[in-house]
Amino acid sequence: MSQGTRCRQLALYVVLDSPLNMLCDNPSNYMREPESTSFIAGIPTVWDETVILDGEMGRYIAVARRKGEKWYVGGLTDWTARDIEVDLSKLGLSGERQAVLLRDGANAHRKGCDYRREELRVDRSGKLRVHLAPGGGFVLEL
């Protein structure tokens, strides 16, 4: 069992700067969650650029990191549920991009492994509104 939701654990791979990543749970548990495993296997450990998108010390944070042309956005909250709006215009995207969002599921406040995977289109002036469960988080890959 880990602290916080599954998406919080995934967001830590983006929010924290670590050249040595590891699974935050028993690796066999991730075999049941191919989306999580795929995300972790593909995330870089060295970044070309980092942008702090939003945050309040000790409450929540949203960070974007770029490797090549690909951006990863991670956000997490303390133990208070909240809705945040992430301004993606700070990333200087050109045109529209396909994105994958992993976010806390409807029951994540009771069962931390509940999450949703969504595919969406993001443009350079887009804002992403995300609900974070207590101890929750999200990741966006674009």
Side-chain angles (χ1 to χ4, degrees):
M1 186 168 145
S2 60
Q3 291 187 349
T5 67
R6 175 68 70 224
C7 288
R8 176 191 182 86
Q9 295 299 319
L10 293 175
L12 289 171
Y13 286 93
V14 177
V15 173
L16 301 179
D17 188 22
S18 173
L20 177 63
N21 285 338
M22 62 182 175
L23 294 173
C24 56
D25 198 350
N26 183 328
S28 62
N29 288 337
Y30 282 89
M31 300 310 285
R32 288 174 277 198
E33 297 179 8
E35 296 96 356
S36 295
T37 306
S38 175
F39 174 80
I40 292 168
I43 196 156
T45 57
V46 178
W47 304 98
D48 297 328
E49 184 178 358
T50 299
V51 178
I52 306 301
L53 298 173
D54 196 6
E56 190 175 325
M57 187 68 75
R59 298 189 69 208
Y60 71 98
I61 189 166
V63 176
R65 295 188 190 267
R66 181 181 60 80
K67 178 67 174 183
E69 294 296 315
K70 191 177 254 190
W71 281 96
Y72 296 84
V73 180
L76 50 97
T77 186
D78 58 7
W79 302 105
T80 303
R82 74 182 74 245
D83 294 309
I84 64 171
E85 187 173 80
V86 180
D87 182 3
L88 300 174
S89 68
K90 297 177 181 179
L91 304 182
L93 301 174
S94 58
E96 251 189 12
R97 290 200 188 185
Q98 183 69 24
V100 174
L101 173 67
L102 296 169
R103 64 175 180 85
D104 294 329
N107 296 305
H109 62 290
R110 283 181 284 211
K111 186 174 180 182
C113 62
D114 182 31
Y115 69 94
R116 272 188 77 160
R117 180 186 184 276
E118 299 174 19
E119 292 187 21
L120 47 118
R121 302 288 297 167
V122 174
D123 66 20
R124 65 181 303 143
S125 62
K127 294 191 182 207
L128 177 69
R129 189 161 179 79
V130 184
H131 175 75
L132 304 175
F138 77 92
V139 289
L140 178 70
E141 183 178 347
L142 56 126

